[in-house]
Amino acid sequence: MFTQEYWVQIGRDALQAASTSGLRILIILLIYVAARRALFRIIEAALARALSVRGASQAGTEEHARRLRTLLPLARSVAGCALFFVAAVMVLDALGANVAGIIATAGIGGLAIGFGAQRLVRDVIAGFLLVAENQLAVGEHVTVGGAAGTTAGAGVTGVVEELGLRVLRIRDEGDRLWTIANGDISAVTNLSRAPVREILEVAVGPAADVGDVRSRIESESLRLAAADGSRLIEAPVILGVSAFDATRTVIQIQILSRSRDLPSETLRVREAMLARMRSDGVPLA
């Protein structure tokens, strides 16, 4: 049965298949690789151009960079999957497979998976809406909340490290990495889109001259705002006397800074005010 003529015929058939289907498959793969690279470059250029046009009138360079880092991986992932599916179908067609049957089976399978993985579909849709509505971007400081019993139920605050179609990854101030399903997010507070305010209180003794204390606070506030490395948006502002009684007088100060810098700037201002009051001999309560 396995005669020399048999093996020669097998070799001829294999050579013929390689010279026809094999060459066709090789061309398809080369076109796929070239098209994938070109498509990624087109997507990157298109996103950069679109966001630069919007950024010129809205948020500026930093906002443009954050949105580009957020949208680019998502666009590449979707486009890459679609292109891979097309290339795979073309390769199967070159091998003589029933492409129509495969596509029909894939459609039915996709429908079945859609019914069986409703949570996954919900997460993907929620992730798409987070990006489309520009609720947050990679590198921004946010607080996300969700329904009770979910990861985001108690609220998570931190810096967005990754925004995918299914999950959101946030690094909190304790350097913990939170992975939250997009479908579990019901509220987003973006702390990076505008400066954040903090109120400090300076409590002095009842015998202190309020006008003199105010002038000293204003002087120290200007020095703090002009200091090297200061991350204050503006010099701290005196709001006024918030409370007084027989034991103390409380003066409120407003601090304005970016959300990520506010805790450290609050400590810096508080320490500086304490040192100034003590050095000037102002009685504290």
Side-chain angles (χ1 to χ4, degrees), residues 7 30 64 81 135 228 251 269:
W7 291 113
L30 291 176
H64 164 264
C81 290
Q135 297 183 30
D228 292 337
I251 301 175
V269 173

Side-chain angles (χ1 to χ4, degrees), residues 57-73:
S57 59
Q58 293 185 2
T61 305
E62 186 177 353
E63 173 70 12
H64 164 264
R66 283 199 300 264
R67 293 210 66 198
L68 187 61
R69 290 197 303 268
T70 302
L71 292 172
L72 190 56

Side-chain angles (χ1 to χ4, degrees), residues 35-47 76:
R36 188 171 182 269
R37 290 182 179 177
L39 184 60
F40 283 1
R41 290 181 180 177
I42 292 173
I43 291 173
E44 184 174 357
L47 284 177
R76 281 181 173 177

Side-chain angles (χ1 to χ4, degrees), residues 5-19:
E5 290 78 6
Y6 172 81
W7 291 113
V8 169
Q9 185 61 38
I10 290 293
R12 288 175 180 174
D13 293 342
L15 183 61
Q16 183 178 4
S19 61

Side-chain angles (χ1 to χ4, degrees), residues 151-211:
T151 304
V156 177
T157 300
V159 179
V160 178
E161 286 201 352
E162 179 183 345
L163 174 56
L165 282 178
R166 194 183 69 83
V167 296
L168 171 69
R169 289 185 171 87
I170 294 179
R171 180 81 61 179
D172 66 10
E173 295 178 356
D175 205 31
R176 294 179 291 263
L177 183 63
W178 294 78
T179 301
I180 304 169
N182 292 330
D184 291 339
I185 300 172
S186 61
V188 176
T189 302
N190 196 317
L191 305 174
S192 296
R193 301 288 171 89
V196 183
R197 305 173 188 275
E198 179 71 25
I199 304 299
L200 292 184
E201 293 185 342
V202 177
V204 297
D209 185 340
V210 174

